[in-house]
Amino acid sequence: MERIHELHVDDSTIKSDTFREQQRHGDERDREELARLGKKQVLKRNFGFMSMLGFSCTMLATWEGLLILFTQGLTNGGPAGLVYGYVLSWIGTLAVFVSMAELVSMAPTSSGQYHWVAMLAPSSCRKFLSYLTGWLTVAGWQAFVASACYLCGTMIQGLIVVQHPSYSPELWHGTFLFWAVAAFGVFFNTVVSRALPQIEGIILVLHVFGFFAILIPLVYLSPHISAKDVFTQFSNHGGWPTQGLSFFVGLIGNVFAFLGMGQTKLANVRFRTDAMRAI
């Protein structure tokens, strides 16, 4: 038994040493790459692969976003518009972020888009385009956070209405819930930021199992239509002049499900091992 225990300890020690060696090698390579880009590594890398995956799922919230805004596509586009719109949005997003992933692997910095513009743009307009890109990115972040807080706040208000029919919803109630959700996010990113990798791992589990928890009841309990209607029935209940315009208006819900993909690149600056390999 003592011999088995010694072997187990030795195996754990070897694995621990191997991990520390990989982490040290990754940190050294990252410092070299950042030095090549004229940057200095200042952030502590504390995200592992699973926590980074959980972070990416949290930012994307793909099925959650579709669940919230699928009525937009059904109203403008119908069942067929919703299906083909999702495929079109996925292809367009993939084309954009395959290129972005290549840029991240070349220059893994938290600066992101405005740094890449400064690297690749002509010297005559480099500063202006980088400045413009940076502010557009900040505006996008703010809009994304505001929309997420608004949707969460109004969903909480909707659940209160369902559980308490006597409740009379007011607009200012939704505003307070909006700020409560925002404060909740700030709390987790400041006070308990060290626990974020573990929290993101839990979110990943909830994301995966929550998908099936929603999907299975919908498949078995909701009314069904024929496959022909799903793939051929378009609608224009929004009153737009043409069916094509209605279809593109309905793309908003599908596009929203992919909005967070650009933010996942920021996780590379917090990844525990080689950031370039992680991306």
Side-chain angles (χ1 to χ4, degrees):
M1 291 296 293
E2 292 180 358
R3 179 59 178 171
I4 295 175
H5 177 71
E6 291 176 358
L7 290 174
H8 177 72
V9 171
D10 291 341
D11 183 62
S12 301
T13 303
I14 292 173
K15 290 181 179 179
S16 178
D17 292 341
T18 302
F19 174 79
R20 282 195 293 267
E21 180 64 24
Q22 291 176 348
Q23 182 177 353
R24 184 184 63 80
H25 175 72
D27 288 341
E28 289 178 356
R29 181 175 178 182
D30 289 339
R31 281 194 292 269
E32 292 174 358
E33 291 296 330
L34 291 174
R36 180 177 60 84
L37 298 169
K39 304 293 182 180
K40 181 180 179 181
Q41 181 174 315
V42 296
L43 295 178
K44 181 180 179 181
R45 302 182 184 274
N46 55 1
F47 272 67
F49 176 78
M50 295 305 296
S51 56
M52 183 178 178
L53 182 60
F55 173 84
S56 301
C57 291
T58 302
M59 295 301 300
L60 282 169
T62 306
W63 70 262
E64 295 92 340
L66 288 175
L67 186 66
I68 297 170
L69 297 176
F70 76 95
T71 53
Q72 182 78 22
L74 286 178
T75 302
N76 298 287
L82 195 63
V83 172
Y84 299 128
Y86 181 87
V87 175
L88 180 63
S89 299
W90 180 79
I91 293 174
T93 304
L94 182 65
V96 171
F97 289 105
V98 163
S99 301
M100 185 175 287
E102 181 66 20
L103 290 170
V104 176
S105 67
M106 293 167 56
T109 66
S110 60
S111 306
Q113 290 90 331
Y114 76 83
H115 186 198
W116 303 329
V117 170
M119 290 173 52
L120 302 175
S123 58
S124 59
C125 55
R126 179 175 299 166
K127 292 183 179 180
F128 172 74
L129 292 178
S130 178
Y131 180 83
L132 181 63
T133 303
W135 276 109
L136 287 174
T137 304
V138 171
W141 290 343
Q142 293 176 344
F144 182 80
V145 172
S147 63
C149 294
Y150 171 77
L151 289 172
C152 291
T154 52
M155 280 193 296
I156 294 172
Q157 193 173 28
L159 291 173
I160 296 174
V161 171
V162 171
Q163 295 296 322
H164 302 279
S166 60
Y167 166 67
S168 178
E170 300 288 346
L171 294 178
W172 63 271
H173 294 171
T175 302
F176 271 100
L177 288 170
F178 169 95
W179 286 111
V181 173
F184 183 78
V186 170
F187 172 80
F188 270 97
N189 283 277
T190 54
V191 179
V192 293
S193 59
R194 291 186 177 181
L196 272 179
Q198 291 75 24
I199 294 173
E200 296 296 352
I202 296 173
I203 293 297
L204 176 62
V205 174
L206 294 176
H207 175 80
V208 173
F209 285 96
F211 172 74
F212 293 102
I214 297 295
L215 179 66
I216 293 173
L218 285 178
V219 170
Y220 283 94
L221 300 179
S222 63
H224 296 144
I225 61 175
S226 65
K228 180 181 179 181
D229 290 337
V230 171
F231 293 101
T232 61
Q233 181 180 333
F234 292 87
S235 61
N236 181 12
H237 297 302
W240 297 96
T242 63
Q243 180 61 62
L245 180 59
S246 176
F247 169 78
F248 283 105
V249 171
L251 281 179
I252 295 174
N254 286 319
V255 171
F256 181 81
F258 295 102
L259 283 182
M261 187 173 290
Q263 314 309 324
T264 58
K265 66 178 178 55
L266 297 175
N268 78 84
V269 300
R270 302 293 298 276
F271 201 75
R272 258 195 319 243
T273 55
D274 193 336
M276 298 180 69
R277 291 182 61 190
I279 296 299

